[in-house]
Amino acid sequence: MAAPALPASVDRPVRVAFVAKGAPTKELSAMNDKQVVAPESTAARVALWRALHVAVDSAPHVLDDEIGLKLLAPGEGWLARGDMDPQFTRPFRASIVGRARFIEDLVVEQASLGVSQYVILGAGLDSFAQRRPEIASRLKIFEIDQPGPQAWKRQRLIELGFGVPDWLRFVPIDFEAGASWRDGLAAAGFDAGKPAIVVSTGVSMYLTKEANAATLRDVAALAPGSTLAMTFLLPLELADAEVRPGLEMAAKGARASGTPFISFFTPAEIVALARDAGFREAQHVSAADLTQRYFAGRTDGLRPPLNAEELLVART
């Protein structure tokens, strides 16, 4: 796939043959028969961009994450792929590692305040549990995702020796069949009487505004003291000039693949939507905020683009 046609910082499911090195085709067929499905292309790309940050950007690294690279095992030539071009991907990988670091810091902060439940909507190849076990083991982490890719991830974690500890709960939800993530959480041992931190990245642009509002209402109904952190995509015409062509091509590619970008929000709109959903408070965390917090003083030009994908933080 040509690099400019890639979604910039999105994790929407699109099938791709990312298979651990050495896995024979017949084994993959058997895996598929058991509903173990290789990761979606954008989820895999996000994981590789996080590893690319470690490989090509100077220290200090905003996020040190090569777990997804180990899970995917794409082979020694992965850095030569078109979608790993260091120059083209620079603003996009900055956005990826910036948002991930912000969320990680938020989870650590909430854990220090006594919050003991962490819910990841559309978890993909999230690696917090493997990278930060000293924090993660004090929480119950609920990773919600489609059954096939989640089964693949579980299998790879076991193969690589990470295992699946009791405090890491995989919650397979078939959203296309209308399954409820709240019901799945309850079945996995989520305590509705205790606060939680809930995270959703790279999802909102694929949902209707009504579906986004419904998700916000679901999270706002959690116990007092809960926190939501989610990304949202601003209207493309507002984005930095350097990334606007890439975002426009990403939107075109997403539309052609049958998974179009549907919802765009200005910061004022997403904050208002959260407050209407019932959150006690809501705030916009901009790319400029992330730059000041994590990229200040860098001389390599690495920074997330303005007015592209940014963050909403809301509290019950």
Side-chain angles (χ1 to χ4, degrees):
M1 186 181 294
L6 300 174
S9 54
V10 180
D11 308 61
R12 178 67 180 176
V14 179
R15 297 293 176 222
V16 68
F18 277 108
V19 185
K21 185 170 69 173
T25 302
K26 64 180 180 180
E27 290 185 14
L28 178 60
S29 297
M31 288 165 58
N32 284 335
D33 289 344
K34 297 176 182 178
Q35 302 304 308
V36 179
V37 180
E40 294 97 0
S41 64
T42 41
R45 190 177 304 118
V46 165
L48 292 181
W49 279 351
R50 287 161 71 144
L52 182 65
H53 172 55
V54 177
V56 304
D57 294 321
S58 60
H61 296 126
V62 177
L63 190 78
D64 191 350
D65 182 9
E66 298 179 292
I67 299 296
L69 176 64
K70 293 177 181 178
L71 292 174
L72 292 164
E76 295 180 0
W78 72 276
L79 284 169
R81 290 170 32 151
D83 56 353
M84 295 296 125
D85 177 78
Q87 182 65 28
F88 173 80
T89 64
R90 184 167 63 182
F92 303 136
R93 70 176 180 271
S95 179
I96 291 296
V97 298
R99 79 183 189 190
R101 174 63 183 277
F102 176 86
I103 287 171
E104 185 161 307
D105 287 352
L106 185 62
V107 172
V108 172
E109 173 197 85
Q110 291 299 301
S112 73
L113 296 174
V115 175
S116 61
Q117 301 184 110
Y118 177 23
V119 179
I120 310 173
L121 298 175
L125 295 172
D126 188 273
S127 61
F128 178 77
Q130 292 75 46
R131 290 182 299 103
R132 302 296 304 273
E134 77 285 0
I135 303 294
S137 60
R138 296 173 7 215
L139 304 166
K140 280 188 178 177
I141 300 177
F142 300 87
E143 293 196 6
I144 296 176
D145 211 340
Q146 294 281 356
Q150 190 172 82
W152 183 95
K153 181 180 181 181
R154 175 193 286 271
Q155 180 172 300
R156 287 295 291 149
L157 287 173
I158 293 170
E159 289 172 352
L160 292 175
F162 290 107
V164 183
D166 181 64
W167 44 263
L168 176 58
R169 310 288 176 88
F170 285 127
V171 186
I173 299 294
D174 188 349
F175 293 103
E176 294 178 0
S180 164
W181 64 270
R182 290 289 302 273
D183 291 345
L185 274 183
F190 182 82
D191 188 340
K194 294 182 178 179
I197 180 165
V198 180
V199 166
S200 172
T201 59
V203 174
S204 65
M205 62 283 294
Y206 294 102
L207 305 178
T208 65
K209 292 195 174 183
E210 292 76 14
N212 277 299
T215 299
L216 288 170
R217 288 193 297 270
D218 282 342
V219 180
L222 297 178
S226 296
T227 301
L228 168 71
M230 66 175 282
T231 60
F232 66 95
L233 192 62
L234 279 78
L236 299 185
E237 64 270 16
L238 300 180
D240 266 358
E242 65 172 320
V243 299
R244 194 180 307 141
L247 288 171
E248 290 172 345
M249 293 187 73
K252 182 179 179 181
R255 186 167 56 252
S257 69
T259 55
F261 293 174
I262 298 172
S263 293
F264 303 87
F265 298 95
T266 66
E269 288 172 339
I270 197 71
V271 167
L273 196 66
R275 288 178 174 157
D276 289 344
F279 284 97
R280 174 173 52 86
E281 61 180 78
Q283 68 179 104
H284 163 226
V285 179
S286 69
D289 295 328
L290 297 181
T291 296
Q292 183 176 11
R293 183 178 297 209
Y294 301 121
F295 299 87
R298 296 191 71 96
T299 59
D300 57 3
L302 187 72
R303 65 164 182 81
L306 298 176
N307 300 324
E309 190 180 34
E310 303 196 339
L311 283 151
L312 166 75
V313 176
R315 305 180 194 276
T316 61

